[in-house]
């Protein structure tokens, strides 16, 4: 993004753009860019082919060329969609991610995965495309609704679960010190600001380390540090999101359930000790209340698992734990169906 006389296509949504758009536009003007703006609908259901097509049309209509840039301003939905558009339009344009949700700061803006959902399932169509830069300003969390903060912390618990106790306990003590209800009010506080910056930095650094060694999530790599482990909790999460038409649960909330389920399943097949399951349940609980899912039909949820991205050689792969920071990849065929059902029932009812 060295060209200071080019165009910059900002991709955002109405809500985020109404809060931060003017500021970003002015910064771009001041740097010599001519910004144009494409706004997508707000919500996971807009991360689809139709919106991608409109975004690509917008870029062409505005004569965006390969020396211009795309700026993704928003949460993971905007980031995934804008990243996809940046990777395929003219075979690739410079991309700057400006994540404005906690989840996007610690996870989706880092690592270069882009995607849209299809009728068959979540994130089934996408690319690996590294941004030229990621600009994180934790001040944007000031306006984030509480549910979105919970969703972000659930992804942080996931990263702690697979990384090890230091990262998991950092999340636990952060939430103990700054209970969710006071989170937004604390933003003016300098000590809080320093701590949230350190928190986000530690999460980003863990994710970047994993991605560096297995950028394209190689199918053969099933080691404890393969990129696949970042999908801990996501097998059930994606199925829950699909079953509820991407409208009921925030992605991070679905991951909260996915973590609890994967921990319970790990215990039920003799991999994980109860004390570790209790620790994970406790930290997910501190992250905030998850919407109930006991009304969902388990059969529909399990049907949705069939299209999970982690299917290799026809076999779904579960990311489970044999300890905090000790992920293992277990083929579906090695897990008794009774253990899966018992774990699911236990999680949806508690
Ligand atoms: P989101 O993008 O839907 O944003 C959540 C909500 O917060 C939206 O309503 C948005 O308008 C609003 N919002 C965003 N920033 C705000 C701010 N600062 N103030 C007020 N409101 C704000 O959801 P998300 O949780 O950020 O992202 C979820 C998506 O990320 C999912 O599609 C998921 O699949 C994807 N994801 C991708 C990766 C990856 O590696 N690419 C990793 C994890 C998740
Ligand atoms: N969120 C999973 C990954 O980036 O690989």
């Amino acid at each position: 993004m060295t060209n200071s006389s080019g165009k910059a296509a900002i991709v955002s949504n109405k809500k985020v753009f109404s809060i931060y758009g003017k500021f970003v536009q002015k910064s771009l003007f001041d740097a010599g860019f001519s910004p144009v703006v494409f706004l997508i609908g707000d919500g996971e259901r807009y991360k689809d082919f139709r919106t991608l097509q409109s975004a690509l049309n917008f870029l062409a209509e505005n004569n965006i060329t390969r020396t211009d840039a795309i700026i993704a301003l928003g949460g993971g939905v905007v980031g995934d969609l804008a990243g996809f558009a940046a990777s395929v339009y003219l075979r690739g344009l410079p991309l700057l991610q400006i994540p404005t949700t906690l989840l996007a700061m610690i996870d989706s803006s880092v690592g270069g995965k882009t995607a849209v959902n299809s009728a068959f399932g979540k994130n089934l169509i996408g690319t690996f495309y590294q941004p030229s830069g990621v600009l994180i300003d934790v001040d944007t969390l000031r306006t984030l609704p509480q549910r979105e903060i919970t969703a972000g912390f659930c992804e942080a618990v996931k990263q702690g679960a697979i990384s090890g106790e230091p990262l998991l306990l950092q999340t636990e003590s952060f939430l103990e010190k700054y209970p969710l209800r006071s989170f937004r009010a604390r933003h003016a506080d300098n000590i809080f600001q320093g701590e949230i910056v350190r928190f986000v930095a530690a999460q980003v650094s863990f994710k970047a380390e994993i991605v560096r060694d297995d950028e394209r999530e190689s199918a053969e790599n099933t080691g404890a540090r393969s990129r696949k482990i970042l999908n801990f909790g996501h097998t059930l999460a994606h199925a829950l999101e699909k079953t509820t038409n991407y409208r009921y649960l925030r992605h991070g909330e679905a991951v909260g359930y996915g973590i609890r389920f994967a921990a319970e399943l790990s215990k039920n097949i003799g991999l994980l000790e109860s004390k570790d399951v209790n620790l994970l349940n406790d930290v997910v609980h501190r992250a905030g209340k998850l919407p109930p899912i006991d009304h969902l039909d388990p059969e529909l949820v399990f049907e949705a698992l069939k299209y999970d991205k982690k299917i290799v050689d026809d076999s779904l792969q579960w990311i489970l734990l044999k300890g905090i920071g000790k992920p293992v990849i277990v083929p579906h065929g090695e897990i008794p169906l009774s253990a899966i059902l018992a774990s699911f029932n236990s999680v949806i009812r508690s």
Side-chain angles (χ1 to χ4, degrees):
M1 240 167 287
T2 49
N3 181 354
S4 59
S5 59
K7 285 195 271 284
I10 303 173
V11 179
S12 188
N13 72 29
K14 205 168 158 186
K15 183 173 174 191
V16 176
F17 194 77
S18 70
I19 316 176
Y20 300 108
K22 287 237 154 22
F23 185 74
V24 173
Q25 271 180 312
K26 181 172 179 326
S27 305
L28 287 166
F29 269 128
D30 291 349
F33 284 92
S34 312
V36 289
V37 181
F38 180 72
L39 299 183
I40 71 170
D42 192 356
E44 183 70 36
R45 62 189 179 281
Y46 294 101
K47 202 176 98 174
D48 65 357
F49 253 125
R50 212 172 141 167
T51 314
L52 177 71
Q53 172 79 68
S54 309
L56 296 174
N57 289 346
F58 174 88
L59 297 173
E61 282 156 13
N62 284 278
N63 301 315
I64 300 294
T65 69
R66 294 193 69 194
T67 51
D68 299 323
I70 296 192
I71 320 269
L73 173 69
V77 167
V78 163
D80 278 11
L81 187 116
F84 197 160
S87 70
V88 292
Y89 180 74
L90 301 180
R91 299 203 177 92
L93 243 62
L95 165 71
L96 177 68
Q97 290 277 3
I98 309 184
T100 60
T101 63
L102 181 60
L103 184 144
M105 289 176 190
I106 65 167
D107 192 351
S108 62
S109 67
V110 181
K113 275 190 182 175
T114 83
V116 293
N117 305 321
S118 88
F120 291 92
K122 172 121 170 140
N123 293 341
L124 288 185
I125 300 147
T127 55
F128 289 99
Y129 191 70
Q130 294 301 343
S132 306
V134 181
L135 196 159
I136 298 178
D137 182 348
V138 293
D139 233 18
T140 57
L141 299 177
R142 204 172 26 87
T143 54
L144 198 62
Q146 190 157 312
R147 246 185 111 173
E148 306 301 340
I149 296 170
T150 295
F153 274 112
C154 285
E155 287 280 15
V157 178
K158 172 206 83 179
Q159 301 208 140
I162 53 176
S163 160
E165 283 202 350
L167 201 63
L168 183 62
L169 298 183
Q170 184 194 35
T171 305
E172 188 187 39
S173 54
F174 191 92
L175 287 167
E176 200 174 0
K177 195 160 170 196
Y178 301 110
L180 220 56
R181 61 188 177 284
S182 68
F183 191 84
R184 284 173 73 171
R186 298 303 287 262
H187 269 276
D189 174 344
N190 280 344
I191 297 177
F192 175 86
Q193 286 272 343
E195 289 201 31
I196 186 81
V197 166
R198 278 191 289 282
F199 176 84
V200 170
Q203 292 278 334
V204 167
S205 146
F206 167 70
K207 177 157 184 187
E209 205 180 289
I210 297 293
V211 172
R212 190 190 55 212
D213 294 339
D214 185 16
E215 189 180 353
R216 293 193 162 235
E217 202 172 308
S218 133
E220 299 79 49
N221 188 348
T222 51
R225 282 293 174 262
S226 73
R227 186 166 183 166
K228 288 193 187 74
I229 65 161
L230 294 173
N231 294 314
F232 177 66
H234 279 59
T235 304
L236 182 73
H238 287 168
L240 290 174
E241 288 183 89
K242 181 169 187 287
T243 314
T244 52
N245 293 323
Y246 306 106
R247 284 164 198 255
Y248 179 62
L249 292 167
R250 311 297 310 131
H251 172 67
E253 291 170 340
V255 170
Y257 276 116
I259 294 168
R260 295 185 47 214
F261 170 77
E264 189 69 25
L265 181 57
S266 304
K267 183 188 80 178
N268 284 344
I269 62 168
L271 287 174
L272 193 65
E273 289 182 38
S274 293
K275 71 170 176 40
D276 292 331
V277 180
N278 294 342
L279 172 63
L280 287 168
N281 280 334
D282 176 58
V283 196
V284 171
H285 180 73
R286 282 177 197 276
K289 204 168 157 33
L290 305 178
I293 54 164
D294 52 355
H295 60 288
L296 297 184
D297 178 350
E299 276 193 26
L300 289 181
V301 175
F302 287 114
E303 178 66 20
L305 291 174
K306 280 208 295 209
Y307 295 103
D308 193 89
K309 275 200 292 20
K310 292 173 288 304
I311 294 176
V312 176
D313 288 342
D314 249 5
S315 169
L316 180 66
Q317 300 189 317
W318 289 95
I319 320 295
L320 301 179
L321 285 183
K322 54 181 185 180
I324 303 298
K326 294 182 183 154
V328 276
I329 298 175
V330 184
H332 183 67
E334 290 178 16
I335 303 176
L337 187 60
S338 57
I340 295 180
L341 291 174
S343 309
F344 185 70
N345 283 328
S346 144
V347 164
I348 62 171
R349 298 230 163 74
S350 58

